Amino acid sequence: EDIHEFHLEHVFSTLSTRAQAKEAFFAWLYGSKKSTNIQQANQLDLYYQKSKILNNFFNRGKVTTVFGKQIDNVSQHHALNYIIQSTTAELCLKQFLKANCLLSQHGSSFVAFLVHDAIVLDMKEEDAYLLDGVLKLIGSTNFGQFAINLKKGKNLGEMTPWIR
């Protein structure tokens, strides 16, 4: 499910569009007061228990992710962002390794590269039978099963959503 649609439906009672929910969420996450108000920030604080996350993963200027990575010299203002960004980057790398392992063992396709939270595959037609397994591996995480958005194209500039 789209995180901003989820926030619109389950967290924000006063917003009416996905764009507003997205703007309010990122303003809260990055500590901006321009695009969020106290009520929206309180709703997100209650839902995500920001202080509990900070208490568990931030101590004396150091962030430690669930994967054990430590980041020093972090201000409290930036700590939540570091926790989220570092954890999601590590999670994406972990999922990349799973996909790469499956492809290298069973076909001639491969993971071409990563772009933020996107894993770009270079798939050959004869390896198409592996795609469901790759998607299942990528979607299966330490934090539960995630839906995967899939796009395909002859090159990165021609990628379009692919409904299976």
Side-chain angles (χ1 to χ4, degrees):
E1 182 175 2
D2 180 271
I3 188 75
H4 306 300
E5 290 287 341
F6 178 87
H7 288 151
L8 187 61
E9 185 176 334
H10 299 284
V11 178
F12 297 121
S13 58
T14 58
L15 300 180
S16 56
T17 69
R18 179 189 183 279
Q20 290 171 329
K22 181 178 180 179
E23 186 174 356
F25 173 74
F26 283 118
W28 168 81
L29 177 63
Y30 293 115
S32 170
K33 298 201 181 345
K34 286 185 177 183
S35 298
T36 191
N37 62 40
I38 302 271
Q39 179 187 9
Q40 293 162 353
N42 287 340
Q43 288 170 311
L44 284 162
D45 281 339
L46 286 172
Y47 192 83
Y48 287 107
Q49 300 177 354
K50 188 178 190 178
S51 61
K52 186 176 180 182
I53 293 168
L54 290 172
N55 286 337
N56 288 335
F57 299 101
F58 177 66
N59 186 21
R60 296 183 182 160
K62 181 186 288 187
V63 162
T64 303
T65 71
V66 297
F67 295 114
K69 180 178 180 181
Q70 295 185 349
I71 306 166
D72 293 321
N73 301 317
V74 178
S75 69
Q76 178 140 1
H77 177 77
H78 292 105
L80 184 65
N81 178 41
Y82 279 44
I83 293 165
I84 293 170
Q85 294 291 332
S86 184
T87 300
T88 56
E90 290 173 73
L91 181 62
C92 192
L93 286 170
K94 185 175 179 178
Q95 303 317 99
F96 153 85
L97 291 170
K98 289 177 171 179
N100 196 54
C101 183
L102 185 136
L103 289 172
S104 66
Q105 290 178 356
H106 299 285
S108 56
S109 297
F110 55 93
V111 176
F113 53 90
L114 302 174
V115 179
H116 300 290
D117 62 351
I119 299 172
V120 180
L121 307 176
D122 190 338
M123 293 285 299
K124 297 191 176 179
E125 283 186 42
E126 62 265 19
D127 292 338
Y129 73 97
L130 295 170
L131 190 55
D132 285 335
V134 169
L135 294 176
K136 188 173 183 176
L137 275 175
I138 292 172
S140 177
T141 77
N142 302 59
F143 308 105
Q145 190 69 32
F146 284 80
I148 303 297
N149 296 320
L150 183 64
K151 294 182 180 180
K152 76 176 212 174
K154 296 255 182 218
N155 60 56
L156 196 57
E158 294 177 11
M159 296 288 201
T160 56
W162 190 25
I163 310 298
R164 293 180 50 86

